Amino acid sequence: MTHPRATPAARTESNPDTRSSRTRTDSPTPDTAALTLPSPADLHRRLTTDLDPDARAWLERALDEAAAHPGIHGPISAWELRLAEAGRRCGAAHADHARVLILHAARAGTDALTRVYFQGTADERRAVLHALPHLVSGPAALPLVEDALRTNDTRLLTAAVGPYAARHLDAHAWRHAVLKCLFTGVPVDHVADLPRRARGDGELARMLGDYAAERTAAGRPVPEDLYRVLDLTESATPAPGPDHPHGKES
C-alpha cells in the first residue's frame, strides 16, 4: 500500500521529542567534491609520506612489478598476490590506497577487476570499487557495483556509492542505492554527486516519503539523513542530463 509522502510539516509532528528543536540548516549539504577519491598520483604522494620505510619499499617493488607485468597472467598474477599482502605490509589504515595503486599500475581492465572482485576478500573487493573510476571508462563494471549494493557490508556499500556509481548507475538503481544507505546506516555523505543527482527527483522524494511513513507507523525513528536527501529533491531546478549518465570518465 502506498503511504502519503512525509511533508515538511509532518516531519516535525512525527517525532516531536527528537525533531522539535531541529532547524532546516542543522545539517549541511554533503560536500561530495571532498569525497571523490584522489588521483593515483595524489595517493602515491600521500603514501610516500605516510608509510614507514619498509612499507614504502615494499609498495614501490609491488608497483614496479605490476607495471612490468600488467593484466592477467595464468591462474593468478603476481600483482594479485600483492593485493592480498597489502594489509599486512602497509597497515589497515593505508591498505585500500595501496591496493588501488597496485590495480592502477597493473592497468587492470574489467576482466581483471571482475576476477579480483569475485575471488578476493571483502577488503580486496572494496579496493576494486574504489579503483573503478580510474580504470573503467564506461559502464562495463556496473555488475560489480550492483553486487556490492546487494550486500549488507557497510564498508562495501560505502565504496559502491562512489564516483563510478554516480556516473553510471541509471536513475532507478541509483535511487535504490540511496535507500540502501538509509536502510543500513551508511551516511549519505558518502554518496558521490548526491546534490546533482537528487535535485528535483520527484520519484526519489516519493520513495523517501514512503520509507519515512513506514518507519513512523512502526514507531521507529526516521534517519536524519533522509530529510537531508528529501531537501535536495525539493530543489527547484532539475539537473540537466539523461537518467542514464553513461558519459565518458573525466
Side-chain angles (χ1 to χ4, degrees):
M1 181 172 65
T2 300
H3 297 282
R5 178 182 168 188
T7 64
R11 299 176 194 177
T12 303
E13 296 168 0
S14 64
N15 244 322
D17 54 335
T18 60
R19 304 205 54 80
S20 58
S21 61
R22 176 186 181 269
T23 67
R24 296 292 289 271
T25 58
D26 284 347
S27 300
T29 299
D31 181 4
T32 54
L35 299 170
T36 302
L37 193 69
S39 70
D42 289 337
L43 290 180
H44 195 188
R45 283 192 291 270
R46 183 181 303 176
L47 288 183
T48 297
T49 300
D50 293 345
L51 292 176
D52 64 45
D54 288 344
R56 186 163 57 247
W58 176 87
L59 179 61
E60 294 304 326
R61 288 194 301 271
L63 295 178
D64 288 345
E65 184 178 50
H69 303 285
I72 298 175
H73 302 281
I76 190 166
S77 301
W79 58 265
E80 293 178 75
L81 297 174
R82 304 301 164 250
L83 294 176
E85 293 178 33
R88 175 167 56 87
R89 296 285 192 169
C90 298
H94 305 298
D96 275 2
H97 289 169
R99 291 187 179 105
V100 169
L101 288 177
I102 293 168
L103 289 167
H104 189 264
R107 301 192 288 280
T110 303
D111 289 346
L113 292 167
T114 298
R115 183 165 94 173
V116 171
Y117 181 89
F118 285 109
Q119 295 183 3
T121 64
D123 289 341
E124 290 161 28
R125 292 184 177 199
R126 190 170 62 252
V128 167
L129 294 169
H130 283 312
L132 290 180
H134 305 306
L135 294 171
V136 184
S137 62
L142 273 178
L144 308 185
V145 173
E146 291 163 351
D147 179 82
L149 291 173
R150 287 191 289 269
T151 76
N152 289 316
D153 182 331
T154 55
R155 296 182 71 194
L156 206 57
L157 289 170
T158 297
V161 293
Y164 188 82
R167 291 169 184 158
H168 297 299
L169 277 180
D170 65 33
H172 176 77
W174 185 82
R175 291 175 189 129
H176 281 278
V178 173
L179 266 292
K180 186 66 176 276
C181 288
L182 295 174
F183 296 157
T184 58
V186 171
V188 297
D189 282 355
H190 292 293
V191 180
D193 210 12
L194 177 65
R196 182 188 67 82
R197 293 213 59 176
R199 189 179 302 122
D201 190 335
E203 177 60 16
L204 178 59
R206 182 196 64 77
M207 294 168 68
L208 293 169
D210 286 352
Y211 180 51
E214 289 167 3
R215 290 189 66 90
T216 299
R220 302 177 67 187
V222 177
E224 183 69 18
D225 272 358
L226 183 146
Y227 295 105
R228 295 177 61 186
V229 181
L230 190 59
D231 286 346
L232 293 173
T233 69
E234 292 169 353
S235 299
T237 305
D243 275 353
H244 302 268
H246 291 166
K248 183 179 180 181
E249 297 284 339
S250 58

